[in-house]
Every structure is written in structure tokens, then in C-alpha cells.
Amino acid sequence: MDNYQARAYAVLALAELGYSLEEIEKVKGRMSLLMDLNSEEEAEEKAKKVLDKMAGLE
């Protein structure tokens, strides 16, 4: 999956959840930045840490 496809999935999910166009555009912009700054492996590792922390598992 390339970056454009990943952003497309995010757009679909956010639209289904009722996010506004402005909110979706913000997410797409942030995703683009994070994709430039992190490898796929780094992003996956960081995302797991964020979710674990939010779930109180850390």
C-alpha cells in the first residue's frame, strides 16, 4: 500500500464517522507529514505505544 492509498482509507473511515471536510483535510495533512518523518516500521511502533498508553497498558 502506498501513502496515497493509506490516506484514502483514512478519508473513508473519517467520512463514515462523520468528520467534517476541514477535519479530514487536517488529518490528511498530518498523515503526509508523519509519512515523511517516519518509516513504516517507526510509525507502526509509535502507534502501538500510543494505543498502549491510551489503554493504560504502559
Side-chain angles (χ1 to χ4, degrees), residues 6-39:
R7 284 193 298 267
Y9 276 112
V11 166
L12 293 174
L14 293 167
E16 284 188 11
L17 291 170
Y19 283 72
S20 70
L21 177 59
E22 181 180 332
E23 291 169 320
I24 292 172
E25 291 298 332
K26 281 183 178 181
V27 171
K28 283 176 52 185
R30 182 53 57 110
M31 284 183 72
S32 294
L33 176 64
L34 291 171
M35 288 172 172
D36 288 342
L37 296 176
N38 297 280
S39 69

Side-chain angles (χ1 to χ4, degrees), residues 42-53:
E42 289 170 327
E44 194 171 6
E45 186 177 307
K46 288 178 181 181
K48 182 184 181 330
K49 287 180 182 178
V50 167
L51 292 175
D52 285 350
K53 185 176 182 179

